[in-house]
Amino acid sequence: RAARTGKRFSVIATESAGAGRLVAEDLNNGTAENTTPGVVPVRVVPDAAVGYFMEAVDVVLVGAEGVVENGGILNKIGTLVVATCAKHLSKPVYVAAESYKFARLYPLHQSDLPDDTSSKGPAIDYTPPHLIRLLFTDLGVLTPAAVSDELIRLYQ
């Protein structure tokens, strides 16, 4: 909608396990929800190039496979690196996640995640709440600190 109303922006998607290419294809083909083909310029970059491109970014928006009790997130491997780089360069990190992804887990470190180190390595990483500015959810816009309150309401 922003692009259709004349707001100019572009998207840089990281390659993370092919997901970046899917985002680019959806935006370029107009198959992403409420998009028009070719309106939003998308560039797919390798995960390792995040530091190079981060200086040109205004905000970082990531999804989440899970939102944990302390407001941190579990997501595809590489999210922690993106968020750490963004924090170092003073770029805000926003998370888009539905409330059904909220989980009563409390990891503090990568080692607290389930050991899923198959031959390809871990599939997810943990991004701590101090790297996240806000979470956009179906419950509203939340700070990481507000996640535990929402979990209490959800599980009462």
Side-chain angles (χ1 to χ4, degrees):
R1 183 171 63 174
R4 285 194 304 267
T5 60
K7 291 189 171 63
R8 297 185 64 198
F9 65 95
S10 61
V11 174
I12 298 174
T14 59
E15 184 60 54
S16 184
R21 294 234 177 266
L22 295 175
V23 168
E25 288 172 11
D26 284 349
L27 287 171
N28 286 329
N29 298 332
T31 53
E33 189 173 333
N34 299 319
T35 60
T36 304
V39 173
V40 179
V42 181
R43 182 171 189 177
V44 179
V45 301
D47 287 342
V50 165
Y52 179 86
F53 289 99
M54 191 61 73
E55 288 180 355
V57 168
D58 294 319
V59 299
V60 173
L61 177 64
V62 299
E65 300 288 325
V67 179
V68 297
E69 202 163 344
N70 65 358
I73 63 167
L74 304 175
N75 202 28
K76 291 178 180 63
I77 195 79
T79 306
L80 173 62
V81 173
V82 170
T84 301
C85 184
K87 182 75 166 185
H88 181 73
L89 294 173
S90 301
K91 309 293 181 169
V93 175
Y94 300 113
V95 176
E98 302 90 340
S99 60
Y100 75 84
K101 294 182 177 181
F102 286 23
R104 297 189 75 179
L105 301 171
Y106 205 91
L108 297 175
H109 307 283
Q110 303 306 314
S111 59
D112 294 334
L113 299 177
D115 189 11
D116 183 26
T117 52
S118 62
S119 61
K120 294 182 181 182
I124 62 169
D125 60 22
Y126 164 68
T127 303
H130 73 273
L131 298 176
I132 298 167
R133 174 86 51 94
L134 293 171
L135 295 100
F136 302 126
T137 75
D138 53 304
L139 302 173
V141 179
L142 304 174
T143 64
V147 169
S148 62
D149 293 337
E150 290 302 325
L151 271 167
I152 290 169
R153 278 190 268 275
L154 288 170
Y155 287 102
Q156 280 186 11

